[in-house]
Amino acid sequence: MSDLDNFVVACEALLDEPDVAERVAEAMRPLVAASASLSAAVEEIREAPGRAAMVHRTDRLTVLGLEIAAGFVSPPHDHRLWSVVGVYEGDEDNVFYERIDTGIEKTGEGVLHEGDCLALPANAVHRIANTGASPMRALHVYGGDLIATARSQWDDVTGEELPFGAVR
């Protein structure tokens, strides 16, 4: 069993624990610190360059290996699930928001560097960007089925809340 497989088993065992996102982040830290072996394990699963690698997906847990292209900037979005991000190559710029009556309002920002992990609550709204010159790779864990979860994104100009993936 690979380190990535062992990590998924550990995540499954933590699902009913208090502070599950923080506990998953703790379990993730040694995995993202061993970036070369994690990168190789994720690349074995990835179907095509730039596509998400579906490591594990159940109703209670989704684990993805994401590759974010240089220059990519996401719209502000939510997950509606607790989540943990562990960067194993490059840097991930984050801007954090909170919901207000008229949309969202910026509350902070930060950069995740190679080896960093961040736990986010289910109500988090954020935007990610890769301002580096090469792809950023990260392991993302979600406390549920991310693919089946209805989520939102916000229009950059109007601040309007839209269904995730809506094109304007």
Side-chain angles (χ1 to χ4, degrees):
M1 197 181 260
S2 73
D3 289 344
L4 185 55
D5 293 330
N6 287 333
F7 172 72
V8 170
V9 169
C11 289
E12 288 279 354
L14 293 170
L15 288 176
D16 295 320
E17 296 294 321
D19 300 320
V20 61
E22 291 295 334
R23 308 249 341 243
V24 167
E26 285 299 317
M28 184 186 283
R29 283 185 176 87
L31 188 63
V32 297
S35 61
S37 62
L38 177 56
S39 183
V42 171
E43 292 311 310
E44 285 181 20
I45 298 166
R46 192 180 312 281
E47 293 180 10
R51 299 234 6 222
M54 182 62 71
V55 175
H56 181 80
R57 180 181 177 201
T58 66
D59 290 347
R60 298 188 69 207
L61 184 71
T62 303
V63 182
L64 298 172
L66 295 182
E67 178 178 292
I68 308 297
F72 174 83
V73 179
S74 77
H77 63 277
D78 64 13
H79 302 127
R80 299 194 184 164
L81 305 166
W82 62 259
S83 60
V84 179
V85 177
V87 175
Y88 59 91
E89 290 179 27
D91 296 321
E92 179 181 284
D93 296 353
N94 277 272
V95 177
F96 302 100
Y97 303 86
E98 68 179 28
R99 289 174 177 265
I100 58 173
D101 290 341
T102 56
I104 55 173
E105 180 176 76
K106 181 179 171 181
T107 59
E109 55 189 74
V111 178
L112 295 177
H113 302 287
E114 192 169 305
D116 288 343
C117 294
L118 174 68
L120 295 170
N123 65 347
V125 176
H126 73 143
R127 159 191 303 226
I128 64 168
N130 177 2
T131 57
S134 57
M136 183 276 297
R137 293 181 178 90
L139 196 62
H140 289 231
V141 178
Y142 302 92
D145 184 348
L146 179 72
I147 309 306
T149 300
R151 303 183 290 141
S152 293
Q153 68 183 44
W154 283 261
D155 184 277
D156 284 331
V157 176
T158 67
E160 178 185 5
E161 184 174 357
L162 304 165
F164 187 82
V167 178
R168 297 278 267 177

